[in-house]
Amino acid sequence: MSNEIEIGRGKRAQKAYSLDDVAIVPNRRTRDPKDVSVSWQIDAFQFDTPILGAPMDSVTSPATAIALGKLGGLGVLNLEGLWTRYENPEAVLAEIAGLKSEAATRNDPKITAKLQELYSAPIQPELITSRISEIRDSGVVVAGSLTPQRTQEHYKTVVAAGVDIFVIRGTTVSAEHVSKTTEPLNLKQFIYELDVPVIVGGAAGYTPAMHLMRTGAAGVLVGFGGGASSTTRRTLGIHAPMATAIADVAAARRDYIEESGGRYVHVIADGGMGNSGDIVKAIAMGADAVMLGTALARAEEAPGAGYHWGMEAVHEASPRGDRAKVGTVGSLEKVLYGPSHETNGTSNLVGALRRSMATTGYSTLKEFQRVDVVLSPYESDRY
């Protein structure tokens, strides 16, 4: 059965769905939430909760990466961000949080220009080493992120510093980048020669995900143009509704298992999950774990101090994001595990996932990927 619809005589398109368009359906069995496991494993690393902190300066600092690791998750440090450009980035973060907008909307060119200026400082390899060492000394799993454009330049420093999981993250990452002016990163060769597991993305559909899986990646990030701070859809006209994107990449994982003779590649939903219901539905659509930005930027410990932005916002020629005010709901532990006093799914994220799994009768994340879902679009009421 085709899922295509005719837009006009000269164009057809696939119907795609966001997380807001789907709903989970309870089944005949329920469980006690205490009997539910939300642990997951990638390569040799086991985690108590399937939550990764996004490599965004408003979300993950060395301190929050350590805190998230001790709470059972994985913080991914942006190795091209303020922490590797400034010896003392706290002052820069405070300056960003204190910028006053003169615009009626959050799209303020003066704030964007200031962000671009602050991020024009050069990356210092010695700071990459220092930040990774700081996280490693705490005893938690160390993950750091570079864009494909910077990977060749800095990966030796990153590996030598002792990173456990290497993340290559961009707005979109392909296994077949073509350029007439620069030598593209050969992902397959790079991953083959690296001694640590690599997570790569974003990917927005079956075919690009399959190509990334064939490079030897341990995990694939799913997402494009989502999130509270992103304006990619408005500036480039490109967007991947997350429910369909996750389901398509999960299908690629299934087919790659057969193609490779049993090799499992983890699917990690990345972007557009601002509350616990989004996280639940991302797992239901086939994700093994979720990479969170906005949801963790609301923690008291978050370096953005109630504001949230990504590297897309500081691109020197084509900024595709804003500094968004997301507020603060409580400590990182409260955001993850409660107790919650919010009714909008912004705290006790893990507790909500456990309760949803228990309500539908599933005891593990892999089992929960089989849960029944229906199309049930609601007008968005997210905060």
Side-chain angles (χ1 to χ4, degrees), residues 274-275 293-300 302 306 326-331 335 345-346 383:
N275 57 48
T294 301
L296 299 185
R298 299 189 183 107
E300 291 172 350
V326 297
T328 300
V329 299
S331 68
V335 169
T346 57
Y383 288 75

Side-chain angles (χ1 to χ4, degrees), residues 84-135:
T84 59
R85 296 175 190 263
Y86 294 92
E87 183 71 38
N88 298 301
E90 291 88 352
V92 181
L93 289 161
E95 182 177 358
I96 293 173
L99 292 173
K100 303 300 182 183
S101 178
E102 299 176 5
T105 65
R106 70 186 188 193
N107 177 23
D108 189 327
K110 291 185 177 180
I111 290 181
T112 297
K114 187 61 179 179
L115 288 171
Q116 291 168 322
E117 176 190 333
L118 293 171
Y119 278 85
S120 66
I123 297 169
Q124 302 179 48
E126 62 272 18
L127 288 179
I128 292 178
T129 300
S130 174
R131 305 311 184 194
I132 291 176
S133 297
E134 180 181 348
I135 301 171

Side-chain angles (χ1 to χ4, degrees), residues 281-315:
K281 288 187 279 188
I283 302 292
M285 298 309 297
D288 297 293
V290 295
M291 178 173 276
L292 302 180
T294 301
L296 299 185
R298 299 189 183 107
E300 291 172 350
E301 301 93 326
Y307 288 93
H308 182 45
W309 65 93
M311 290 300 286
E312 302 91 348
V314 303
H315 192 281

Side-chain angles (χ1 to χ4, degrees), residues 354-367:
R354 283 182 175 276
R355 187 164 295 277
S356 292
M357 293 171 62
T359 300
T360 51
Y362 295 92
S363 58
T364 68
L365 295 173
K366 289 304 300 178
E367 291 177 358

Side-chain angles (χ1 to χ4, degrees), residues 157-235:
T157 301
V158 175
V159 174
V163 75
D164 293 310
I165 298 176
F166 196 109
V167 179
I168 301 176
R169 184 180 188 256
T171 304
T172 186
V173 178
S174 77
E176 299 181 9
H177 182 68
V178 178
S179 174
K180 293 182 179 180
T181 58
T182 60
E183 183 68 25
L185 175 68
N186 185 326
L187 267 178
K188 189 170 186 178
Q189 179 180 346
F190 175 81
I191 292 173
Y192 177 78
E193 294 176 353
L194 214 58
D195 291 331
V196 298
V198 177
I199 297 171
V200 62
Y206 178 96
T207 299
M210 179 66 83
H211 284 295
L212 290 178
M213 291 174 185
R214 289 169 178 162
T215 67
V220 171
L221 299 172
V222 185
F224 190 104
S229 65
S230 175
T231 63
T232 299
R233 178 165 57 177
R234 297 199 297 271
T235 56

